[in-house]
Amino acid sequence: MDSLQSRLSEIRVRVAKAAAEAGRDADSVTLIAVTKTVPAEVIEEALGLGLRVFGENRVQEAAEKYPGLKARWPGIALHHIGPLQSNKLNSALQLFDCLHTLDRLSLAEALARKAEAGAILPPIYVQVNIGEEPQKAGIPPAEADDFIALCRDRLALPIRGLMCIPPVEAPPAPYFALLAAIAARHGLAALSMGMSADFETAIRQGATHIRVGSLLFGDRS
Ligand SMILES: *Cc1c(COP(=O)(O)O)cnc(C)c1O
């Protein structure tokens, strides 16, 4: 039976297996259910199955769906996982409980200004362009150390982890391992890596947050 419930059970089994293979506790991996293009009724079904951690990549779409859901279902944690424009920061800070894609200095400075003006910043992850791909956002690996230090020390941002999207055409394990190594150098606990196609590999390399959309909700048309 191909239902949301059966897909979720299968993902949980695979998460537990990958965690066990890595000598990790399955509880150390948070499944972020990525709900871009998924209608609110289906998200309600996911909530009914116990899911509480969700990811959206567009502020506007999240603003249409989540205030209502958050009012009805306690305990929702909403993660922003897509490109973030500085001019959407106010809405983003109202809606999201974690930001995964701090990918440039101007955004870091804009976040610091919001904090100075009194905003409470949620946990922030730095996005690293781990495969150094021109079409992808993120800080190049060679610049990540300096960028992380600057965000924490000079801008006092609550940097809690790193996020990456590895190249599609190459085996992802070395890229995940590189992200994990950078995070370890800085004592950053959270590693947001792994999607529908590669979450088990990501877990074996230390992912604490996997972002799964299509495997859970079906293909996005
Ligand atoms: C859409 C999206 C995902 C989920 O991708 P699937 O392959 O559908 O699991 C994960 N991370 C980001 C940043 C995304 O935009």
Side-chain angles (χ1 to χ4, degrees):
M1 190 183 64
D2 185 42
S3 63
L4 183 57
Q5 183 165 27
S6 63
R7 292 192 295 266
L8 176 60
S9 311
E10 194 198 314
I11 291 167
R12 290 213 190 285
V13 168
R14 289 171 59 183
V15 166
K17 187 159 172 282
E21 282 162 11
R24 301 178 55 197
D25 195 329
D27 291 346
S28 67
V29 181
T30 299
L31 170 65
I32 301 177
V34 176
T35 54
K36 61 187 183 208
T37 77
V38 176
E41 311 84 76
V42 179
I43 302 173
E44 298 251 13
E45 196 187 334
L47 282 156
L49 295 170
L51 284 171
R52 288 294 180 276
V53 186
F54 297 93
E56 283 278 342
N57 64 342
R58 290 177 59 237
V59 175
Q60 181 61 40
E61 184 179 343
E64 284 160 18
K65 294 189 293 193
Y66 276 90
L69 291 168
K70 281 189 164 188
R72 281 195 298 282
W73 295 82
I76 290 182
L78 185 60
H79 291 236
H80 185 269
I81 61 167
L84 185 53
Q85 291 162 264
S86 299
N87 63 5
K88 300 233 172 89
L89 268 190
N90 285 343
S91 340
L93 291 175
Q94 273 174 27
L95 271 169
F96 291 100
D97 305 291
C98 186
L99 305 178
H100 287 227
T101 59
L102 172 51
D103 60 356
R104 59 195 189 278
L105 181 60
S106 60
L107 181 59
E109 290 171 339
L111 283 160
R113 283 194 297 273
K114 295 291 175 200
E116 260 167 51
I120 307 288
L121 301 181
I124 296 171
Y125 303 170
V126 170
Q127 180 173 5
V128 178
N129 186 353
I130 204 74
E132 301 179 61
E133 297 173 279
Q135 78 279 15
K136 280 206 180 115
I139 307 297
E143 294 167 27
D145 289 326
D146 285 349
F147 185 80
I148 294 163
L150 181 154
C151 287
R152 285 172 133 182
D153 305 338
R154 216 183 76 205
L155 300 176
L157 297 179
I159 305 297
R160 298 286 180 263
L162 302 180
M163 177 271 204
C164 76
I165 307 171
V168 280
E169 69 280 2
Y175 296 103
F176 293 147
L178 177 58
L179 194 75
I182 299 170
R185 284 207 285 277
H186 293 273
L188 293 171
L191 277 175
S192 167
M193 56 190 200
M195 314 189 353
S196 288
D198 56 14
F199 69 89
E200 287 144 308
T201 307
I203 291 169
R204 286 188 217 102
Q205 299 297 333
T208 60
H209 292 71
I210 57 171
R211 309 178 309 265
V212 178
S214 48
L215 200 62
L216 194 50
F217 297 109
D219 284 334
R220 294 177 292 271
S221 41

